[in-house]
């Protein structure tokens, strides 16, 4: 292995480093590459996809009815009058086709449980799936927003008391949400160059990298989760947010990559901090919340201060669809802060948005995000494509109608079974049950080896390996691709394993490869100990190898 190359790659984003590791892992002919480096799931939600395709077929029959007198190949817009009856006839005549029962149930649910007009819903879905009109409203289709809002309420707020209402902006996945939010917060003077923002670490790497870009120039303060305390934030760490110099707090919950949700106790403590810091901006990215037990978002506790980002990509196996939303409470800190800006700043913003409204000073922040996403001048063509919004609605209805949470239970069993397989491969006992652990990812942390093997071995290992050496060796010698935990803001060297994108037996093989590599270093350490080297000093193992069944979670 080119150790020098491994060291020189230390500054790369983990997602860019991944490409180099994949090249190494695939360098051996006829060897199976096990890529656990990216969180793209290998499962998909089939029922709402079947519904999507069948809805498309019905929409095509509606389109062809409109211009049936013209030559073949020309259709028109669906007609609202009688569409509910025609849809009922369509579903009855195709009742055995996959997806039809779901569609029929969805219309009934929308009408009977959500109190919406069934015909209007079918009409909006047909218009949307045909993609024959610009998105109107541009922020989100009217009924689509109401339905997705119910999904967000169920999954992100649950039974927590929640006063008032919130708005949604449908976006091209969580990554677009991040891009738009950083951009609009800068433009609207909510965050300015030199401002201090706190990051709950470990965290999705772009939250670390974007603020450092020259166009933002933000100073970062780490709020570090404690791996020895189940990756929870201590009160001392959270108390950093009490400093008025901290303008914003960005959080991924459940975390990436530890995949642990913030405890109820910490959420309450954060809410208490916000009472003392009513000016604190919060952004919570809760894409993995749907894999957690009894998840409650910080948005539920601090709605006035918080922007919520949610993506459908992971839970429904829909990374290619690019589906996400930004949620903002109708009474929020962001609109208040804009209203309190100095006159010169207000005048500049009013001039910016004057082409899209006669009252730019009253333009809501969430609508400013929409306009900024299309450089204001193209606001009239803003909005997520309508077929994407239709699929988002069908995913939402699929979850809302699954009152027994059968799909959610299946997803949890799937990823947790893969984690157990990984541990079997390492010859290790799984972690103790923790209700806050989600298991979409897991971290294999070098430092944690000190608990079972001895701290002296870990000191030796950290002193003698180059940056990313273990990851490069796993890729080159075993065809296993993991991402470096350091790129996500972890304190100790580690590897992130995605538990979503391979089959169970693959994780057994990954565990075996990790253990073999660890044992090789351990043998080297023991050999030094037998010669009176560093390995013979201190440590509870005194240079002796642990039993083969010793529990370890390290690479």
């Amino acid at each position: 292995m080119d150790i020098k190359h491994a060291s020189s790659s230390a500054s790369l984003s983990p997602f860019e480093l991944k490409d180099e590791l994949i090249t190494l892992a695939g360098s051996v002919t006829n060897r199976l590459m096990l890529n656990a480096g990216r969180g793209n799931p290998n499962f998909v939600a089939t029922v709402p996809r079947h519904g999507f395709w069948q809805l498309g077929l019905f929409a095509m029959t509606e389109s062809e009815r409109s211009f049936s007198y013209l030559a073949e190949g020309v259709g028109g817009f669906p007609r609202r009058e009688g569409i509910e009856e025609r849809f009922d006839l369509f579903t009855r005549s195709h009742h055995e086709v996959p997806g039809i029962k779901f569609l029929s149930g969805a219309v009934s649910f929308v009408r009977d449980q959500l109190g919406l007009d069934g015909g209007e819903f079918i009409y909006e879905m047909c218009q949307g799936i045909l993609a024959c009109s610009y998105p109107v409203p541009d922020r989100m289709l009217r009924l689509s927003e109401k339905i997705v809002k119910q999904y967000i309420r169920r999954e992100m707020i649950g039974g927590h008391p929640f006063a008032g209402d919130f708005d949604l902006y449908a976006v091209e996945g969580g990554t677009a949400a991040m891009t738009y939010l950083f951009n609009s917060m800068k433009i609207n003077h909510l965050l300015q160059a030199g401002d201090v923002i706190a990051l709950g670490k470990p965290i999705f790497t772009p939250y670390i990298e974007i603020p450092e870009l020259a166009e933002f120039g933000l100073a970062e303060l780490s709020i570090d989760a404690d791996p020895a305390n189940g990756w929870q934030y201590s009160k001392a760490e959270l108390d950093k947010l009490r400093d008025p110099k901290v303008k914003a707090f960005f959080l991924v919950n459940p975390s990436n990559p530890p995949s642990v949700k913030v405890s109820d106790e910490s959420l309450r403590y954060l809410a208490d901090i916000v009472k003392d810091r009513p000016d604190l901006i919060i952004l919570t990215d809760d894409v993995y919340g749907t894999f957690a037990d009894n998840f409650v978002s910080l948005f539920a506790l601090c709605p006035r201060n918080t922007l919520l980002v949610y993506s459908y990509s992971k839970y429904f196996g829909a990374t290619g669809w690019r589906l996400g939303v930004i949620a903002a409470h109708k009474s929020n800190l962001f609109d208040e802060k804009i209203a309190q800006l100095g006159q010169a700043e207000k005048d500049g913003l009013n001039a910016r948005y004057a082409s899209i409204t006669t009252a730019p000073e009253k333009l809501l922040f969430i609508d400013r995000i929409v306009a900024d996403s299309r450089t204001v001048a193209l606001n009239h063509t803003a909005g997520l494509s309508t077929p994407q919004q239709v699929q988002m609605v069908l995913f939402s209805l699929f979850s809302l109608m699954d009152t027994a949470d059968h799909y959610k239970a299946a997803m949890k069993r799937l990823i947790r079974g893969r984690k157990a397989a990984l541990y079997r491969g390492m010859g290790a006992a799984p972690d103790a049950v923790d209700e806050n652990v989600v298991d979409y990812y897991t971290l294999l942390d070098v430092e944690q080896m000190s608990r079972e093997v001895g701290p002296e071995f870990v000191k030796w290992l950290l002193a003698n390996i180059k940056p990313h050496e273990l990851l490069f060796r796993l890729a080159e010698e075993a065809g296993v691709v993991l991402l470096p935990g350091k790129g996500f803001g972890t304190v100790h060297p580690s590897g992130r394993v995605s538990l979503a994108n391979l089959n169970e037996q693959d994780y057994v093989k990954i565990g075996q490869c990790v253990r073999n590599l660890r044992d090789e270093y351990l043998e080297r350490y023991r050999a030094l100990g037998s010669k009176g080297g560093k390995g013979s000093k201190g440590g509870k193992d005194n240079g002796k190898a642990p039993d083969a069944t010793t529990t370890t979670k390290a690479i």
Side-chain angles (χ1 to χ4, degrees), residues 34 44 104 118 127 256 292 309 311 384 402 406 414 426 547 555:
L34 298 176
V44 300
S104 180
Q127 286 274 91
N256 180 0
V309 171
S311 168
L384 183 66
D402 183 15
H406 292 303
L414 187 68
M426 292 192 296
D547 183 84
I555 55 175

Side-chain angles (χ1 to χ4, degrees), residues 134-135 138 374 378-383:
Y134 288 110
D138 49 17
R374 298 299 185 270
L378 292 167
N379 182 70
H380 62 290
T381 59

Side-chain angles (χ1 to χ4, degrees), residues 206-232:
Y207 282 109
I208 300 173
E209 296 173 339
I210 292 174
E212 297 172 347
L213 296 175
E215 58 261 44
F216 298 107
L218 299 169
E220 297 176 1
L221 173 69
S222 295
I223 309 295
D224 293 314
D226 182 4
N229 188 34
W231 292 104
Q232 294 297 328

